[in-house]
Amino acid sequence: MFNFDIQGMLIRIPALLLAFTVHELFHGLTAYVLGDSTAKNDGRLSLNPIRHIDLIGFIFILLFRFGWAKPVMVNLSNLKNPKWDYALISVAGPLSNIIMAFIGTMVVFPLVTFGTIAGGGIVAMLLTEFVFINIVLAVFNMLPFPPLDGSKFFSVWLPDNLYHSFHANFGRVGFLILIVLMITGTTANIIGPIINAIFTALIGIANNIYSVML
């Protein structure tokens, strides 16, 4: 997992900064729309990466392919339906990554297929990395283990008593399970096929759209 690939890092840095920034921004925007202004008051409704990036977490993801951003704080008491609204706030981050992956695919597809601009190979490389990073972030964050977004989304289907017990007692255990799964490579085996399926689907969608347009 340890990686000193300088060229790879230079390609990943801008992609990761944008992917993390928009991911956290969408959490904050969704919370704000649903009635909680905590993220706004904390300055998190911003496209400035400095507002969202945790330096240690960012270094970790560059070196070990596992990292984190600053979490967006949510005051559940400001939400009309805390349980379901919190699930929507949580899923907004991964959804933003899928949207960015789709946009990136639509931009990179003609570069790879038609070579439409000078230096398109370098741009295509950057955009392909951007697409891949966003898909990985979306899929990984939807795993049902705290503190990942998926734990808030999937737990919403539990009865209220189990829901509160899950978030009160499973946090540390869920994180340890996640670490074990990552160390053993189980996480990659679980999400790898999903990542590949989404990537293939986006390429197929882009191909169909451009086939109609051209």
Side-chain angles (χ1 to χ4, degrees):
M1 295 179 68
F2 197 71
N3 189 356
F4 275 119
D5 178 9
I6 301 299
Q7 181 180 0
M9 286 186 185
L10 292 177
I11 292 174
R12 281 192 294 273
I13 285 174
L16 283 167
L17 285 174
L18 183 56
F20 270 134
T21 296
V22 175
H23 179 107
E24 299 301 330
L25 173 61
F26 264 58
H27 282 316
L29 281 173
T30 305
Y32 184 71
V33 169
L34 292 174
D36 179 34
S37 60
T38 303
K40 181 178 184 298
N41 296 336
D42 289 342
R44 301 300 299 275
L45 302 189
S46 169
L47 281 171
N48 181 355
I50 295 175
R51 298 283 188 179
H52 305 286
I53 298 301
D54 181 284
L55 181 58
I56 295 177
F58 194 73
I59 292 173
F60 262 62
I61 201 168
L62 288 175
L63 297 179
F64 305 110
R65 303 296 181 90
F66 171 72
W68 56 90
K70 296 176 184 176
V72 169
M73 296 293 102
V74 178
N75 187 341
L76 298 181
S77 63
N78 292 329
L79 304 175
K80 293 181 180 179
N81 191 334
K83 182 178 177 182
W84 288 91
D85 288 351
Y86 195 30
L88 291 175
I89 293 168
S90 298
V91 80
L95 178 60
S96 75
N97 294 124
I98 293 298
I99 292 172
M100 285 188 288
F102 172 72
I103 294 172
T105 302
M106 290 299 296
V107 176
V108 75
F109 187 84
L111 298 181
V112 174
T113 305
F114 308 114
T116 53
I117 64 173
I122 297 176
V123 176
M125 186 185 304
L126 290 168
L127 286 171
T128 301
E129 184 72 11
F130 176 72
V131 170
F132 182 74
I133 282 173
N134 274 285
I135 296 174
V136 171
L137 284 177
V139 176
F140 179 77
N141 273 287
M142 286 306 294
L143 289 173
F145 303 107
L148 301 179
D149 297 322
S151 66
K152 287 93 170 179
F153 176 75
F154 290 109
S155 64
V156 77
W157 307 100
L158 296 173
D160 286 349
N161 59 328
L162 292 179
Y163 174 84
H164 295 298
S165 177
F166 174 83
H167 287 286
N169 303 314
F170 193 61
R172 293 181 180 177
V173 176
F175 184 74
L176 290 176
I177 292 174
L178 180 63
I179 294 298
V180 170
L181 291 176
M182 292 184 62
I183 292 175
T184 59
T186 306
T187 302
N189 293 333
I190 294 172
I191 69 174
I194 302 173
I195 292 168
N196 291 333
I198 294 175
F199 189 81
T200 300
L202 290 177
I203 293 295
I205 292 171
N207 182 48
N208 291 334
I209 291 175
Y210 279 108
S211 296
V212 173
M213 293 173 58
L214 299 177

